[in-house]
Amino acid sequence: MPATVIVGAQWGDEGKGKIVDLLAQHADLVCRYQGGPNAGHTIVVGDETYKIRQIPSGVVTGKTCIIGAGCVVDPTVFLAEVDELEARGHATAGRVHVSGNAHVIMPWHVAIDQASERRLGNLQIGTTRRGIGPAYADKALRIGIRVQDLLDPKILRQKIEVALAEKNLWLEKVYGEPPLELGEIAGRFEEYAQRIRPYVADTSLLVDRALRDGQSVLLEGGQGTLLDLDHGTYPFVTSSSTIAANAAAGVGMGPNRIDRVMGVAKAYVTRVGEGPFPSEIVGPDQERMREVGHEYGTVTGRNRRCGWLDLVALRYAVRVNGIDRLALTKLDVLSHFAELPVCTRYRLRDGAETEDFPAHQSDFHAARPVYETLPGWEESLDACATVDDLPDAARRYVAFVERELEVEVTLIGTGADRDSVLAPYGLAALTGSL
Ligand code: IMP
Ligand code: MG
C-alpha cells in the first residue's frame, strides 16, 4: 500500500477524518498537505469523540503524522491539540512532525481575517475566521513567518517586529481595530517556539524515506475540491490548493509517487459559508437533513447548508483530482427520506442542459439542478454488516452513483462510528493495493 491521497470531493466536511482514521490503521504515515485549523475532522471511536483541526487525524490511531510545507500552522491550536491528545493517552513526541517550511498563522492573521469579513458585510466569504487567508497571502507576498523562524529567537523577534509595524497600521487605520502588542506576542511566541522545536522536522525527507522503505503513506486533504483556490468556486473558496495533485507539492515529493486518489463524498451535499449551491434544498427537508446529519460546523458551529447529491459537481471532482475510487459517507442520513432527488445535470441560462461543471462563474451561479428522483429505503442501516444487508434501494442508489461517475464506490459510511463502514469490494482490496 504505497501513497494514497484522500481528497474531499465536495465543499469539505465529507467525512474524510473518518475514512483517514479507517485507512490509517493499515498505513504507516499520515500527512496533511495544505490548509490549517480551518479543517475540522471528527473521529468517533467507541464512546470517545475527537475533533482535530491541525494535526492529521491519523494521530488517533497512533501513526506517524506529518504537517507538510504546504500547510499553515497556528501554534496555539497545535499545542492545545498536543496537550489534549497527550492527556487522552496519545503520545505525540516523535510521532508528530511539522515541516519547517510551513507558514505560521500569527495573531494579526486571525485579527485581519475577522476584521476583513466584518468589513465585507454581505459580500463576506464566510471564512472560518482562523487567519487562513491572511497567512497564505503573506506567504505569497514573501513576508510570512515560517515554522523554522520559530527556532531562532533573534530572527523571530525581528520578523514579528517588522510585521507588526505594518499589520498594526492595517488594523488601526483600515479596520478600526485595536493594535496588537509587540511584547505580548513576542513573549508568547518565544514560549511556543520552545515547545514546538522538537516537532520540527525535514518532512519531505521523512516521506521519501518511508516510501523507499516500502511503507504506506496517506495524504490527507483539508476542505474539499470546490474550495480549491484555483479550481473551486472562487472567491468562495479557501486560500490553498485542496486538490489531489497538490498533495505531492504540499509534502514535497514527486507527483509520480502518488498511486491512488480516493475521493470522499457525502451521499448528499453540504456547504458552510457563502457562495452558489445549485442542489441546495428548499423547504423543510433542509432543516431535517441538518438535524439528522448533525450538519453543524466542527470549527465554527455554524449551520451547514444542505443539498441533494450533485453528480455534476462530483463528476468535476473526479476529473480535477483523478479520483479512481470513491468513499460515499453518511448514507444512513438518507434513511429519513422517502424520495431521493439526485442532480444529474444543470440547466443553464439558455435552457441547455449539461453534465459538465460550468467553467464560467455566472453560468454556475445561474445553473438550476435537473434531478432524477430515486426511491428511498426508509429503514435504518444500523444492522447492515455487509453490502448484501443494505436495502435494495440503498444498493441501487450507490450503483447509480457508480454508473454516473464511472468510479467504483469502495467504501460506504452507514453511521458515525469507526466500524460503521462497508467495503463493497472488500477491505483487503482497499488496503492491500491501496
Ligand atoms: P477559510 O478557509 O477559513 O478562509 O474559509 C474559506 C471558505 O472555506 C469558507 O466558505 C469556509 O466555510 C470554507 N471552509 C474552510 N475550511 C473548511 C472545512 O474544513 N470544511 C468546510 N468548509 C471549510
Ligand atoms: Mg470539517
Side-chain angles (χ1 to χ4, degrees):
M1 169 168 129
T4 301
V5 181
I6 312 276
V7 66
Q10 296 160 329
W11 274 288
D13 304 316
E14 298 91 349
K16 295 179 292 294
K18 178 190 161 122
I19 300 297
V20 171
D21 174 58
L22 175 80
L23 297 183
Q25 296 170 44
H26 310 274
D28 300 297
L29 208 63
V30 183
C31 316
R32 284 276 309 264
Y33 55 88
Q34 45 70 232
N38 48 347
H41 287 162
T42 309
I43 300 157
V44 182
V45 187
D47 296 336
E48 302 262 334
T49 298
Y50 295 85
K51 292 192 188 276
I52 306 181
R53 291 160 50 193
Q54 182 80 69
I55 298 175
S57 19
V59 71
V60 176
T61 313
K63 299 299 167 157
T64 303
C65 288
I66 280 178
I67 297 178
C71 296
V72 285
V73 182
D74 185 329
T76 322
V77 177
F78 176 80
L79 292 170
E81 268 175 27
V82 161
D83 288 341
E84 195 193 329
L85 285 163
E86 294 277 346
R88 294 173 76 174
H90 300 276
T92 55
R95 201 172 266 171
V96 175
H97 306 283
V98 184
S99 168
N101 289 358
H103 278 248
V104 181
I105 300 176
M106 298 298 293
W108 50 84
H109 294 134
V110 180
I112 288 173
D113 198 358
Q114 290 171 356
S116 141
E117 284 282 280
R118 263 201 300 278
R119 196 177 135 102
L120 281 169
N122 55 16
L123 292 179
Q124 71 170 357
I125 290 159
T127 74
T128 60
R129 303 189 176 204
R130 293 303 188 275
I132 308 295
Y136 275 115
D138 280 355
K139 165 179 166 171
L141 279 170
R142 293 153 299 178
I143 56 170
I145 295 180
R146 296 193 294 171
V147 167
Q148 57 184 284
D149 295 326
L150 297 176
L151 302 182
D152 184 325
K154 243 173 77 189
I155 293 184
L156 178 63
R157 181 144 196 130
Q158 193 190 21
K159 286 214 161 195
I160 292 178
E161 235 179 279
V162 170
L164 261 189
E166 187 198 316
K167 300 300 178 186
N168 272 341
L169 279 179
W170 276 94
L171 280 171
E172 286 185 284
K173 304 267 192 280
V174 178
Y175 297 117
E177 296 289 324
L180 298 170
E181 212 200 304
L182 173 65
E184 190 274 320
I185 291 178
R188 187 148 54 91
F189 274 73
E190 274 152 25
E191 269 171 44
Y192 291 161
Q194 293 312 314
R195 292 202 55 204
I196 284 182
R197 179 180 293 274
Y199 295 98
V200 183
D202 183 345
T203 49
S204 161
L205 189 63
L206 288 178
V207 174
D208 182 65
R209 287 208 177 125
L211 288 172
R212 280 172 193 271
D213 288 351
Q215 295 191 357
S216 53
V217 176
L218 280 184
L219 302 140
E220 164 186 354
Q223 295 78 49
T225 304
L226 296 169
L227 292 171
D228 180 273
L229 184 57
D230 293 308
H231 302 284
T233 49
Y234 192 91
F236 304 104
V237 294
T238 192
S239 297
S240 64
S241 174
T242 58
I243 59 172
N246 189 45
V251 301
M253 69 182 204
N256 53 350
R257 298 180 89 178
I258 296 175
D259 299 283
R260 293 265 180 270
V261 179
M262 172 175 266
V264 184
K266 265 181 207 165
Y268 49 100
V269 189
T270 62
R271 163 163 217 182
V272 268
E274 308 306 316
F277 181 179
S279 68
E280 186 164 18
I281 299 172
V282 192
D285 281 347
Q286 167 76 228
E287 186 53 40
R288 193 130 166 263
M289 191 174 277
R290 182 174 306 125
E291 247 163 59
V292 278
H294 308 290
E295 297 297 353
Y296 309 95
T298 316
V299 177
T300 58
R302 287 180 291 179
N303 281 356
R304 294 180 182 147
R305 300 155 66 192
C306 298
W308 301 113
L309 187 63
D310 181 345
L311 291 176
V312 180
L314 211 44
R315 201 174 283 119
Y316 176 70
V318 169
R319 162 154 58 101
V320 297
N321 290 295
I323 289 171
D324 55 15
R325 49 194 61 199
L326 194 69
L328 199 63
T329 62
K330 300 185 95 163
L331 190 66
D332 53 304
V333 173
L334 298 185
S335 296
H336 298 260
F337 301 89
E339 293 195 322
L340 304 171
V342 175
C343 172
T344 54
R345 297 183 300 281
Y346 290 161
R347 185 168 300 118
L348 302 175
R349 280 173 297 184
D350 60 4
E353 290 187 7
T354 179
E355 289 197 332
D356 296 317
F357 197 76
H360 194 287
Q361 60 186 5
S362 304
D363 290 331
F364 180 60
H365 225 110
R368 294 290 160 259
V370 179
Y371 289 115
E372 276 186 44
T373 299
L374 306 191
W377 45 91
E378 294 187 278
E379 51 182 296
S380 162
L381 305 183
D382 283 352
C384 297
T386 74
V387 182
D388 296 332
D389 302 333
L390 284 176
D392 282 346
R395 269 207 307 273
R396 278 201 296 273
Y397 189 86
V398 175
F400 185 80
V401 173
E402 288 190 316
R403 213 166 40 241
E404 287 280 320
L405 299 177
E406 297 176 43
V407 172
E408 285 178 352
V409 173
T410 54
L411 287 175
I412 301 171
T414 56
D417 198 74
R418 193 185 232 182
D419 301 324
S420 304
V421 178
L422 308 177
Y425 300 88
L427 205 53
L430 264 179
T431 52
S433 63
L434 188 80

